[in-house]
Amino acid sequence: MLPTAYIETSVISYLTALPSRDVVIAAYQQVTREWWRTARNRFELVASELVLQEAAAGDSAAARARLAELEAVTLLEATDDAAKLTRRFLDLGAVPSKAAEDAAHIAIAVTNGADYLVTWNFRHIANAVLRSRIEHVCRQARYEPPVICTPNELMELDHADATS
């Protein structure tokens, strides 16, 4: 059985966006495209209705491209348990109250037992300061948190294979 990787909206956005002139963002886009090419062979890719809603927003052509990539991804349920965990993240300050959607992404991944939460959102998800708070709240609620990481961090096996 493959490990599950919850794909947060930023990953799909970087995957399908026009190449950026910002060198850092352009690098993230390239890494995302490389990771996406092999991810289906190594992970069960999952997302949620929230990812679909966010991906559908904005420019219609860009939204179509994002939604097309998500067609092959299994959707997880946003259960009552996920809603409760979202509220805990916000109430306990693990995620800022202005980032309720980000807390919901984390909670959906957690309550569905995802192994990884893959994101480029460094502000409220893949944030070293918040990560320990998020993990603490998960464990208090008797959940094992997923590994929160970027596509780059999940490419390590590819790089190791290429150099051996």
Side-chain angles (χ1 to χ4, degrees), residues 16-100:
T16 61
L18 295 173
S20 176
R21 292 181 190 192
D22 179 297
V23 294
V24 173
I25 293 173
Y28 291 168
Q29 289 173 320
Q30 183 60 36
V31 165
T32 302
R33 290 181 186 113
E34 289 176 25
W35 179 76
W36 192 256
R37 200 170 37 253
T38 63
R40 289 188 184 106
N41 298 329
R42 298 184 296 119
F43 302 97
E44 178 186 355
L45 301 179
V46 298
S48 65
E49 189 65 37
L50 177 56
V51 173
L52 290 181
Q53 289 170 9
E54 292 176 346
D59 177 79
S60 61
R64 278 193 301 279
R66 291 188 295 266
L67 292 172
E69 291 294 345
L70 288 165
E71 285 179 5
V73 174
T74 302
L75 294 183
L76 301 178
E77 279 192 64
T79 62
D80 288 340
D81 289 340
K84 289 175 188 171
L85 188 57
T86 298
R87 189 80 251 149
R88 284 183 69 109
F89 286 139
L90 299 172
D91 289 347
L92 297 174
V95 178
S97 59
K98 65 182 178 184

Side-chain angles (χ1 to χ4, degrees), residues 5-13 46-47 51 54 70 101-102 105-106 117-121 125:
Y6 179 94
I7 308 303
E8 188 266 334
T9 315
S10 62
V11 173
I12 295 301
S13 294
V46 298
V51 173
E54 292 176 346
L70 288 165
E101 291 85 6
D102 295 336
H105 283 298
I106 300 165
L117 191 166
V118 188
T119 184
W120 286 112
N121 179 335
I125 301 177

Side-chain angles (χ1 to χ4, degrees), residues 78-158:
T79 62
D80 288 340
D81 289 340
K84 289 175 188 171
L85 188 57
T86 298
R87 189 80 251 149
R88 284 183 69 109
F89 286 139
L90 299 172
D91 289 347
L92 297 174
V95 178
S97 59
K98 65 182 178 184
E101 291 85 6
D102 295 336
H105 283 298
I106 300 165
I108 293 166
V110 168
T111 57
N112 282 280
D115 298 300
Y116 298 95
L117 191 166
V118 188
T119 184
W120 286 112
N121 179 335
F122 296 112
R123 179 166 285 158
H124 302 125
I125 301 177
N127 177 299
V129 173
L130 298 180
R131 186 176 294 137
S132 63
R133 295 179 197 168
I134 291 165
E135 291 173 354
H136 179 73
V137 171
C138 289
R139 291 188 176 109
Q140 270 187 332
R142 299 184 189 268
Y143 290 106
E144 186 58 31
V147 174
I148 297 173
C149 57
T150 66
N152 194 47
E153 293 172 295
L154 288 180
M155 287 181 59
E156 185 176 348
L157 293 175
D158 292 341

